[in-house]
């Protein structure tokens, strides 16, 4: 039987975006094994009803626990975290971490004028998860939130600059810019790829906060507190799974994450066939 500390970290996202979080975790915790599932067959999650996203998140988390024997689950997708973090934390008897709380914590530390912003998919912003997470921190800051439908699609097309994306960014970011925020959280895994455009629209005085690094730091703290951190003598082994086209996932994924994504495998979750 594998000792608890030797079990892998489980991570999932609707597709590729969570690879930004995987990169941060691999760099910060090189001794840890990692299993990543990207649900590219049912992607994108952003425009889908919350109940549907919650069902997918539950199914993948259950597979990580039952099929891969993970020691912790990282929800590396803002939309899935907004829909399912509370349920998964309650239902799973292991540490569960999402990108929302670490991002909000670093946002509240980044602001100087007390006005902060968060942008995300329609599902994430509509769920109120960021608004609640900030309220729970009890920080004396005012939040302006805006959904940015269309951003993910531009990133997927590889269009991270140019007039079209700039025009859309000008329109969608107007409410947060006009609110006078001085720190803006990129509350969607894809948005770091648009940071140049976003920064140009928001202006040089606005700090952009991305949750990937903060999530990795919080994961390290959590594993340490639970005595689940692996010793440095081990070199982490990383497995990547996709529910959709595996060749496409491996190809684009390698370009986004790096050489650790040597090969991807097909994910057939335990409960996948029963719930669809
Ligand atoms: N991963 C999603 C998120 O962070 C973006 C992509 C999607 O809509 O599935 O919200």
């Amino acid at each position: 039987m594998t000792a608890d500390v030797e079990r892998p970290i489980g991570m999932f996202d609707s597709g590729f975006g969570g690879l930004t979080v995987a990169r941060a975790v691999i760099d910060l915790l090189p001794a840890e094994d990692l299993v990543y599932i990207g649900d590219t067959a049912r992607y994108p999650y952003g425009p889908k009803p919350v109940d549907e996203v919650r069902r997918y998140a539950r199914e993948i988390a259950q597979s990580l626990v039952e099929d891969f024997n993970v020691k912790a689950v990282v929800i590396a997708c803002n939309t899935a975290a907004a829909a399912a973090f509370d349920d998964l934390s309650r239902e799973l008897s292991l540490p569960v971490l999402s990108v929302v709380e670490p991002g909000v914590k670093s946002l509240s530390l980044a602001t100087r004028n007390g006005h902060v912003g968060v942008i995300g998919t329609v599902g994430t912003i509509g769920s109120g998860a960021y608004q609640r997470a900030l309220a729970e921190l009890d920080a004396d800051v005012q939040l302006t939130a805006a959904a940015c439908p269309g951003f993910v699609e531009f990133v997927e097309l590889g269009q991270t600059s140019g007039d079209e994306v700039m025009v859309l960014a000008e329109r969608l970011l107007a409410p947060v810019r006009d609110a006078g925020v001085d720190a803006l959280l990129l509350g969607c895994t894809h948005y770091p790829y648009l940071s140049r455009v976003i920064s140009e629209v928001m202006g040089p005085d606005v700090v952009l906060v991305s949750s990937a690094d903060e999530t990795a730091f919080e994961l390290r703290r959590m594993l340490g507190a639970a005595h689940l951190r692996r010793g440095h003598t081990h070199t982490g082994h990383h497995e990547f799974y996709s529910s959709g086209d595996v060749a496409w996932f491996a190809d684009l994924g390698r370009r986004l994450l790096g050489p650790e994504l040597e090969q991807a495998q097909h994910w057939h979750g335990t409960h996948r066939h029963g719930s669809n």
Side-chain angles (χ1 to χ4, degrees), residues 13-15 17-18 43-47 76-80 121 124 152 187-190:
D13 175 48
S14 54
Y43 165 96
Y45 284 0
C77 171
N78 294 266
T79 310
T121 65
T124 299
V152 166
C188 172
T189 50
H190 283 57

Side-chain angles (χ1 to χ4, degrees), residues 29-272:
L29 299 168
E32 299 291 346
D33 291 347
L34 176 77
V35 175
Y36 179 100
I37 298 176
D39 196 6
T40 49
R42 300 181 294 199
Y43 165 96
Y45 284 0
K48 293 202 162 73
V50 174
D51 285 353
E52 188 177 338
V53 174
R54 188 176 298 127
R55 185 157 55 86
Y56 296 160
R58 265 208 180 113
E59 186 189 337
I60 298 170
Q62 204 146 3
S63 172
L64 285 169
V65 173
E66 292 174 9
D67 304 328
F68 298 97
N69 192 26
V70 300
K71 61 182 172 185
V73 170
V74 180
I75 312 176
C77 171
N78 294 266
T79 310
F85 175 70
D86 290 346
D87 287 5
L88 293 183
S89 319
R90 212 178 30 246
E91 289 163 11
L92 302 180
S93 51
L94 40 73
V96 177
L97 179 62
S98 97
V99 281
V100 172
E101 290 73 20
V104 161
K105 208 195 270 176
S106 85
L107 182 66
S108 71
L109 293 174
T111 183
R112 290 142 289 147
N113 72 5
H115 292 263
V116 298
V118 62
I119 52 175
T121 65
V122 170
T124 299
I125 301 303
S127 75
Y130 274 102
Q131 293 86 330
R132 281 194 301 280
L134 198 63
E136 266 164 38
L137 266 191
D138 213 14
D140 191 18
V141 292
Q142 196 180 315
L143 176 70
T144 303
C148 295
F151 274 11
V152 166
E153 287 76 3
F154 271 113
V155 172
E156 294 289 313
L157 291 171
Q159 240 177 292
T160 53
S161 60
D163 287 351
E164 271 183 274
V165 67
M166 186 56 92
V167 166
L168 182 68
E170 288 275 1
R171 182 164 62 77
L172 295 173
L173 297 173
V176 269
R177 190 183 47 198
D178 297 348
V181 307
D182 70 353
L184 178 66
L185 180 61
L186 308 181
C188 172
T189 50
H190 283 57
Y191 295 179
Y193 299 111
L194 292 175
S195 53
R196 256 187 232 113
V197 171
I198 295 170
S199 186
E200 205 171 321
V201 174
M202 295 303 294
D205 296 334
V206 177
V207 177
L208 300 188
V209 178
S210 139
S211 43
D213 287 342
E214 299 306 322
T215 303
F217 284 123
E218 181 60 17
L219 178 64
R220 183 173 67 175
R221 195 202 58 73
M222 237 176 167
L223 292 178
H227 306 289
L228 287 173
R229 266 190 75 186
R230 195 146 190 189
H232 290 295
T233 48
H234 180 73
T235 302
H237 171 76
H238 314 115
E239 287 179 18
F240 296 89
Y241 292 83
S242 153
S243 56
D245 184 333
V246 172
W248 173 54
F249 182 78
D251 184 43
L252 183 54
R254 196 178 306 116
R255 278 187 270 149
L256 295 174
L257 180 106
E260 287 85 351
L261 208 167
E262 271 169 24
Q263 53 181 17
Q265 303 171 61
H266 191 67
W267 174 68
H268 325 256
T270 323
H271 301 267
R272 186 168 167 68

